[in-house]
Amino acid sequence: MRLVLLGPPGAGKGTQAARLVKKHDAPQLSTGDMLRAAVAAKTPLGLKAKALMDAGSLVPDDVVIGLIDERLDSPDCARGFILDGFPRTVAQAEALQDLLDRRGLSLDAVLELAVDEGALVDRMRKRVDETLAAGGAVRADDNPESFKMRLEAYRAQTAPVSAHYAGRRQLTKIDGMAPIDEVTAAVDRALVDATVGRG
Ligand code: AMP
């Protein structure tokens, strides 16, 4: 299963990706997680990306495209992958197409978790509270100022990615406001439809 999950910050992509990983035995490729690992390891890339990430801005396309290019060659990706948080710009979507073409692969589905913007800030606050209650570390960009920037980056740079895939008849929209299990059921149905549709 080769899948792209789209949706604004707080839409539930990470939650659904984790469930898909279990069900399809394919890895979750989260550029956000890869970048946070680079920041934690203080690699040159991490040092460069940190300020942009903390501010809620996107890191340059070539950085994340390079991360995905390298990751796609890992043996675990042979079974497929769930892209979470990539592509986030139309240039990244076009680069992804090239990366797949070069490997003779194609996407099975592009799913967008659609949510009301008004609910997103509350979801972010809830995530912070739950993380703190569990004794975990809160993301540096889970604060109101950075979150506002992340939403703006989504609107300006990532919403066009949905239009890009819709124009290619590859996009399926899922109601991300439904309870988590219902969203999972809708995702499963969409994946069956996508696979059957492709024969
Ligand atoms: P995420 O964990 O997906 O919310 O990503 C956290 C942050 O990492 C984003 O706000 C961006 O600064 C950066 N980031 C993650 N994925 C990408 C991407 N595909 N393109 C550009 N920046 C990204």
Side-chain angles (χ1 to χ4, degrees), residues 176-196:
M177 294 303 291
I180 292 179
D181 289 343
E182 283 179 33
V183 176
T184 302
V187 165
D188 289 345
R189 281 195 301 274
L191 292 181
V192 169
D193 288 350
T195 320
V196 170

Side-chain angles (χ1 to χ4, degrees), residues 130-141:
E130 284 170 359
T131 305
L132 288 174
V138 173
R139 281 173 53 159
D141 58 355

Side-chain angles (χ1 to χ4, degrees), residues 31-32 35-36 53 57-59 64 85-86 88 92 139:
T31 38
L35 289 166
R36 278 185 288 279
M53 293 172 73
S57 306
L58 296 188
V59 305
V64 283
F86 180 93
R88 250 182 167 94
Q92 290 177 24
R139 281 173 53 159

Side-chain angles (χ1 to χ4, degrees), residues 8-93:
K13 297 188 298 294
T15 304
Q16 295 303 326
R19 293 180 172 198
L20 288 163
V21 163
K22 280 201 190 134
K23 210 168 290 173
H24 297 281
D25 193 26
Q28 171 188 7
L29 307 190
S30 158
T31 38
D33 285 349
M34 294 175 200
L35 289 166
R36 278 185 288 279
V39 170
K42 295 196 166 65
T43 65
L45 187 155
L47 294 174
K48 216 169 83 183
K50 186 179 181 336
L52 288 167
M53 293 172 73
D54 286 355
S57 306
L58 296 188
V59 305
D61 286 335
D62 58 336
V63 171
V64 283
I65 292 164
L67 288 173
I68 292 294
D69 190 11
E70 209 181 302
R71 187 67 180 83
L72 285 179
D73 289 329
S74 307
D76 62 337
C77 288
R79 293 188 301 272
F81 46 78
I82 294 130
L83 283 166
D84 162 14
F86 180 93
R88 250 182 167 94
T89 64
V90 171
Q92 290 177 24

